[in-house]
Every structure is written in structure tokens, then in C-alpha cells.
Amino acid sequence: NQSLKGKHALVTGGSRGIGAAIVKRLAKEGANVALTYASSPDRAGQVVKEAEAFGVKALAIQADSADAEAVIAAVERTAVELGGLDILVNNAGVAQMAPIDDFKLSDFDRTFAVNVRAVFVATQAAVKHMKEGGRVINIGSTNAERMPFAGGAVYAMSKSALQGLVQGLSRDLGPRGITINNVQPGPVDTDMNPAEGEFAESLKKLMAIPRYGHVDEIASFVAYLVGPEAGYITGANLMIDGGFAA
Ligand code: NDP
């Protein structure tokens, strides 16, 4: 029983990590799905093949989230090639960490272009296509609630910005029957934050459940939130972090 049969979705940053898991899970639930990527055409192509194996349409679009025109073009192409747009998952993100004395303004600007500005741009373009029942999900971070080490301030600030965005936009979109929510993962095993990486042991000590999350755990939560049973959830910042911020 596929909960998203006949829906059309776009996932930004779907070539690897959490985004790739979301693409495949939405496809498994019957949604046609497009993904964007910046620099991994081979990985993106592989994800498209795995999604198509569920019998849906799938499509990869090269679009650097820092480029607003490219993001808008990706939204428009998705709507045309899939035949509509019901679900947007703003997942693409970067994590630049450095102590205050060394943090480069160019890294600040890049972080905000990808993690914040692109989310607004994609959402603005996507909701024009959405009908009643539309869904927007941002992938924020538990670091918006708790940043327990130095060097992460700008990343945390970028994810805190998403909290205000979903709270505010829920008021714009609610009367149109569209929900928007912010999913805030804790440490999840990906290229960005490997479970065997140098920070892993210290992160696990901060958690109620002392292990890394699996990308499929995030994807299944997103699949629920974009599905028909989640129509009363909006403007919410939702933790899925093993108790990192508890
Ligand atoms: P990864 O680094 O493993 O993957 C990032 C994905 O985003 C890739 O598909 C990458 O594409 C894409 N991407 C990166 N920059 C851009 C860009 N400028 N334009 C378009 N696509 C881009 O990250 P994760 O899967 O770990 O993270 C996904 C999201 O989850 C991020 O928003 C991150 O902040 C958030 N998050 C992650 C946590 C973790 O512990 N892993 C914890 C909390 C939140 P390409 O392959 O082309 O580079």
C-alpha cells in the first residue's frame, strides 16, 4: 500500500547521504521523484536507477544550491517533467566548521547561500505549483537546539534560521492546505559526519541513545511527514536526534 502513489517530489542534494535515502524511500512509497546535486553525477545517476526500480519516474538535475537561478530552474523542470509538484524536501546542506578567529567570510556566505537562501528560493518557486495537500520539509539540525562544541556557530545559526522560516511560512501556507516542517536530525552516518570519524566518540557521549542514526531512520520520518496522515503537522521543528538535545 504505497502512501505517495501519484505524487511528484523534488529532493535537493539527493545524490548521497540523507537526501539519497529520502529519494529512494519516496520512490518506494510510489512518488515520482527528482533530485538535485552539485558535483556527483555518477552518484546521482545511481540513485535515479535505484528509485526507478520501484516503478516510478525519476530524474537527476545538476543545480548548485548557491545559484538561485539554477534552483528555480530545477523546480520548474521537475514540475514539467514529472507533471506536477506536491512535495519539496530541502535537504542539500554544507557544514563549514572553524573557530571564530579563523572563520572565513566566504565560508559564512557559502553556508548561508546553500543552507538558508536556497531553501527560501526553492520553497517560493515550489509552492506556486502545489495544490491542497502540498508538503515542504526542510532538513535542519539538532544543532539549532544544542551546539555543544566550538567552531559550529555559523552552521548552527544557518539551521536556526530554518526554524523561523518554517514557523513563519506555516502561516502563509496553512490557508492553502500546504504544510511546512523542519526535521532536525542528530548525528547521522554520512560523508558529512561519518560514524567512524574523529568527532564520533565525543558526539555519542552527549546522546541519550549513544549511537549514530541511520539515513533510513530520517527517510522514514520524512515519508510519514509528507504523507496523507500528517496533514495536521505544520510550522513544527521536529527532533530526530537520539536525544542529542534532550
Ligand atoms: P552529505 O554531505 O553526505 O550529502 C550532501 C548532499 O547535498 C549531497 O547530495 C550533495 O551533492 C548535496 N549538496 C551539497 N552542497 C550542495 C549544493 N551547493 N548544491 C546542491 N547540492 C548540494 O550530507 P548529509 O546527507 O549528512 O546531510 C544532508 C542534510 O542533513 C544537510 O542539510 C545537513 O546539514 C543535514 N544534517 C546532517 C546531519 C548528519 O549528521 N549527517 C545531522 C543534522 C543535519 P553532491 O554529491 O553533488 O556534492
Side-chain angles (χ1 to χ4, degrees):
N1 188 18
Q2 293 177 304
S3 64
L4 302 177
K5 199 149 187 61
K7 300 289 186 189
H8 311 298
L10 171 63
V11 180
T12 68
S15 51
R16 295 183 285 123
I18 293 170
I22 293 170
V23 169
K24 287 182 262 182
R25 180 61 193 262
L26 300 190
K28 188 179 177 189
E29 295 294 337
N32 299 313
V33 58
L35 65 95
T36 68
Y37 64 95
S39 57
S40 307
D42 296 346
R43 308 274 303 259
Q46 184 59 35
V47 176
V48 164
K49 274 197 204 131
E50 290 175 41
E52 283 171 341
F54 292 107
V56 301
K57 275 196 260 178
L59 145 91
I61 304 171
Q62 203 273 335
D64 183 344
S65 288
D67 176 351
E69 296 303 320
V71 171
I72 294 166
V75 169
E76 298 307 322
R77 199 177 143 199
T78 300
V80 170
E81 293 202 21
L82 298 185
L85 185 55
D86 308 287
I87 297 163
L88 170 67
V89 181
N90 288 303
N91 164 79
V94 291
Q96 305 274 357
M97 307 277 171
I100 181 66
D101 295 327
D102 304 330
F103 208 97
K104 294 196 197 74
L105 195 54
S106 56
D107 285 341
F108 181 102
D109 289 341
R110 177 90 188 158
T111 300
F112 271 73
V114 175
N115 292 11
V116 181
R117 188 169 180 261
V119 173
F120 176 77
V121 169
T123 303
Q124 188 177 46
V127 296
K128 291 196 179 96
H129 295 280
M130 285 184 191
K131 303 188 288 274
E132 173 129 19
R135 298 275 189 268
V136 181
I137 299 292
N138 298 338
I139 305 297
S141 170
T142 190
N143 290 139
E145 294 290 331
R146 186 185 191 202
M147 175 43 86
F149 52 85
V154 173
Y155 179 72
M157 183 168 50
S158 76
K159 295 302 189 178
S160 298
L162 299 182
Q163 298 183 327
L165 185 70
V166 303
Q167 290 170 229
L169 283 184
S170 71
R171 308 290 180 170
D172 290 61
L173 299 174
R176 292 154 65 168
I178 299 169
T179 68
I180 178 165
N181 291 291
N182 186 29
V183 168
Q184 303 191 121
V188 177
D189 185 20
T190 65
D191 295 341
M192 181 188 280
N193 186 2
E196 306 304 324
E198 54 175 322
F199 298 115
E201 288 311 314
S202 56
L203 289 178
K204 281 191 272 186
K205 288 198 182 88
L206 300 170
M207 302 171 71
I209 300 171
R211 68 163 173 90
Y212 268 53
H214 192 280
V215 290
D216 292 339
E217 294 179 297
I218 311 303
S220 95
F221 190 34
V222 170
Y224 167 72
L225 290 170
V226 302
E229 292 183 285
Y232 199 53
I233 304 173
T234 198
N237 299 299
L238 302 162
M239 312 303 291
I240 173 164
D241 72 343
F244 185 95

